[in-house]
Amino acid sequence: MQASEPPRRRRAASRHAAGKAAPDVQARPESSAEPEPKAAAKKRAVSKAAGSAQAKPRRRRKPEPEVSLGHGHGHGHGHGHGPVAPASRKVRLLLAALLIPCALATLIGALLLYPFGREQATGSRVGLNQVPVQGVITAAKSGQCGAGECLSLSVKLIDGPASERTVTIPGTPIEPSTPRFAVGDEVVLAYAGKGSDPFSGASYQVVDFQRGLPLTVLAVLFALAVLVLARWRGLAALGALALSFLLLVFFALPAMLAGEDPLTVAVVTGGLIMFVAMYLTHGITARTSVAVLGILGSLGLIGLLGWLFSAMAKLTGLDEDTANLIGILGHGIDARGLLMAGIVIGALGVLDDVTVTQASAVWELRLANPALGWRKLYAAGLRIGRDHVGSAVNTLFMAYAGAALPMMLAYSLSGRSFGELVTAQAVAQEVVRTLVGSIGLVAAVPVTTLLAALVAVREPVPEKEPEAVVEPEPEPEPEPVAEEPPKPLPRRPARKAPPENANEITTPISAPLVEPQVRSRHERLNSARHRVPDQS
């Protein structure tokens, strides 16, 4: 037993020595040098922030991703589309094959219908001897004349054979339909013409007010509103409007007065207005060409239906104004054709809006989803057209109803039933005008959509441009930043020095080995003798 104790003591001593030495190796003494790393980190953060603020790379805006519209739809009435890519050669040939015959037919029809070398009698040559004269009212007096009250006016003439003279017009009976005149009103008088005394008030009659100034101001406001909103496109639209007015005044009216068929003249005039106005306003593009084809088909349908149903309903088109016109001309004119001509020209403006919207919608669907075939393009465009037709038909009806409002008020006081009222000549022709125009408007949507789908699928879709790689600009050298001296950190209280035997007390290693005392044999026997009674 004693022989084995020395090696055991040596192993325990070595373990105890390792336990004492380990804390000395692993422990890191705390020092007061902590502020220096914090100051260095703060310096690096300030320098980095200054450099990034000055050398931040400029990024270009990425193009917005295109959204597939294969199964969605929406509608609108605006035509402010962006620049359109030129059509492919195949599409140009197809559109030319469809449009050139229509353009040639319109041009030949215009040459055949225009009354070249035929002078139209006007004024006194057709019995209209009265000459308009402008004047200003200087005095207005009312008094008794006969069985009622009359109004006497003094008017200073501005032009005419008695310019700058003041004439007194005899009393005019005051009735509910008589206009109210006041001093300073600018009026239009009808002078009896040759054989009458220009200085006598009996040769004049007040027929209307002068409205040149307010109408001019309104026209200027309209032009400014169009130019401010649409700019160059608005300027082109105003030019197209002026050309349309000139075609009506200098082509349609002379041809009708010369005895040509009013319906044929209206269709040709509509074709001329369409070609000039559409290409001038919307540009020479494939979309515009498709819209023109849609308008041509709808105009032909409107003319055919108008002629058919006016004949079936036996509409004569004769009203008070038409009867007076026929009496003045001295020769026959197709009153029913005048009615149909009004239907065609009235529907032309609404057809412009519908066809351009449908063609543009189909093209945008094609660009958004090139995988769509013509059938799916047609279906998607038709869903857009349904919403547009609902509002356009109501617009057309309200326009015709507003124009015929006085006539409808007069018929409503007649005490006749609704059926008798609707089938009357004056009301029935407005009904035919509205319904025929609405049918042509509805037909324009599928016709234009189908043409646009068939043409759009034959046009190659432009490839998307690859996104430009954004290369950051080289970072400039940061400017020196004045560094603030680091603030002194508060001093920590000094720690007490650990006791010399701290490692022996706190070390987790086993407690130090105490060498056993060596007792004699006599002492061991005594201790064993004392333990025996306890075990019993």
Side-chain angles (χ1 to χ4, degrees):
M1 182 175 181
Q2 290 181 356
S4 62
E5 286 179 357
R8 185 183 303 169
R9 285 199 300 267
R10 284 196 298 270
R11 288 196 298 270
S14 64
R15 287 198 302 269
H16 179 65
K20 290 185 66 178
D24 295 336
V25 175
Q26 295 176 359
R28 289 180 299 178
E30 297 181 358
S31 63
S32 60
E34 186 178 0
E36 184 173 355
K38 289 187 176 180
K42 182 177 181 182
K43 180 178 178 181
R44 287 195 302 270
V46 171
S47 176
K48 183 177 181 180
S52 63
Q54 294 179 2
K56 187 176 181 179
R58 292 177 293 180
R59 298 182 178 273
R60 302 176 184 175
R61 181 180 296 177
K62 295 182 179 180
E64 298 181 357
E66 296 183 350
V67 181
S68 175
L69 301 176
H71 302 285
H73 71 277
H75 72 281
H77 299 274
H79 309 307
H81 305 284
V84 181
S88 62
R89 185 174 182 272
K90 182 187 299 184
V91 172
R92 289 197 302 268
L93 292 177
L94 176 61
L95 293 175
L98 295 174
L99 282 174
I100 288 178
C102 298
L104 290 178
T106 302
L107 183 59
I108 293 173
L111 294 176
L112 293 177
L113 294 174
Y114 187 77
F116 291 102
R118 187 181 306 175
E119 184 180 358
Q120 176 61 45
T122 58
S124 60
R125 298 170 58 184
V126 294
L128 301 177
N129 297 320
Q130 294 183 343
V131 179
V133 177
Q134 298 181 356
V136 179
I137 297 177
T138 57
K141 298 179 181 180
S142 59
Q144 294 294 328
C145 60
E149 189 176 4
C150 296
L151 180 65
S152 178
L153 299 176
S154 296
V155 181
K156 181 180 180 181
L157 304 178
I158 303 300
D159 55 6
S163 179
E164 302 298 331
R165 298 289 297 269
T166 301
V167 296
T168 301
I169 300 175
T172 304
I174 299 178
E175 299 176 353
S177 60
T178 303
R180 298 295 182 263
F181 298 100
V183 176
D185 288 345
E186 298 179 348
V187 294
V188 179
L189 300 91
Y191 173 56
K194 295 181 179 180
S196 303
D197 184 6
F199 301 101
S200 173
S203 302
Y204 298 90
Q205 182 182 2
V206 179
V207 294
D208 206 349
F209 290 94
Q210 298 181 31
R211 301 182 180 90
L213 180 60
L215 292 181
T216 302
V217 173
L218 181 60
V220 171
L221 289 177
F222 166 72
L224 289 177
V226 173
L227 292 176
V228 168
L229 180 63
R231 299 183 181 178
W232 290 111
R233 181 65 62 85
L235 182 61
L238 291 176
L241 178 63
L243 290 176
S244 301
F245 177 77
L246 293 178
L247 286 172
L248 286 174
V249 172
F250 293 103
F251 172 74
L253 298 184
M256 293 180 186
L257 291 176
E260 301 293 345
D261 180 54
L263 180 58
T264 306
V265 173
V267 172
V268 174
T269 304
L272 291 174
I273 291 175
M274 176 191 57
F275 278 108
V276 173
M278 292 284 289
Y279 285 114
L280 181 59
T281 304
H282 304 288
I284 304 176
T285 62
R287 302 182 187 186
T288 308
S289 301
V290 170
V292 167
L293 290 172
I295 293 176
L296 280 176
S298 301
L299 284 180
L301 180 62
I302 289 174
L304 178 61
L305 291 178
W307 174 81
L308 177 62
F309 282 94
S310 62
M312 292 175 59
K314 300 188 182 303
L315 297 177
T316 61
L318 289 173
D319 52 14
E320 184 178 356
D321 294 334
T322 307
N324 292 335
L325 175 63
I326 294 175
I328 292 173
L329 289 176
H331 59 80
I333 188 172
D334 187 3
R336 183 183 296 171
L338 285 178
L339 174 64
M340 295 301 100
I343 296 176
V344 170
I345 294 176
L348 185 61
V350 187
L351 289 174
D352 181 353
D353 178 46
V354 172
T355 54
V356 171
T357 300
Q358 287 303 115
S360 298
V362 172
W363 247 266
E364 294 300 329
L365 290 171
R366 167 68 173 168
L367 293 177
N369 192 350
L372 293 178
W374 71 268
R375 289 184 178 85
K376 292 185 177 180
L377 278 178
Y378 174 74
L382 200 60
R383 288 195 294 268
I384 298 173
R386 291 193 188 103
D387 296 334
H388 200 180
V389 165
S391 59
V393 168
N394 189 50
T395 301
L396 191 62
F397 171 76
M398 297 308 295
Y400 286 138
L405 185 60
M407 179 265 298
M408 291 192 297
L409 288 174
Y411 273 91
S412 64
L413 296 175
S414 63
R416 303 166 66 179
S417 64
F418 179 76
E420 295 175 346
L421 179 63
V422 172
T423 56
Q425 165 72 27
V427 180
Q429 67 182 17
E430 296 299 330
V431 172
V432 172
R433 187 196 308 268
T434 302
L435 296 181
V436 168
S438 299
I439 292 174
L441 182 63
V442 171
V445 172
V447 170
T448 307
T449 306
L450 179 61
L451 291 173
L454 292 174
V455 173
V457 294
R458 288 168 172 78
E459 187 171 3
V461 179
E463 298 181 358
K464 298 180 181 179
E465 297 181 358
E467 296 184 2
V469 180
V470 180
E471 297 181 358
E473 298 180 357
E475 297 185 0
E477 297 182 0
E479 298 180 0
V481 181
E483 299 181 0
E484 299 180 359
K487 297 180 180 180
L489 296 177
R491 299 185 62 183
R492 296 181 180 179
R495 294 183 179 182
K496 295 181 180 180
E500 295 180 358
N501 59 348
N503 291 335
E504 298 178 2
I505 297 174
T506 60
T507 180
I509 304 177
S510 60
L513 182 64
V514 179
E515 296 182 2
Q517 297 180 0
V518 180
R519 294 182 296 177
S520 63
R521 182 174 180 273
H522 178 73
E523 291 177 350
R524 291 195 301 273
L525 291 175
N526 288 337
S527 61
R529 188 180 299 115
H530 289 292
R531 288 197 298 272
V532 170
D534 295 337
Q535 295 176 356
S536 62

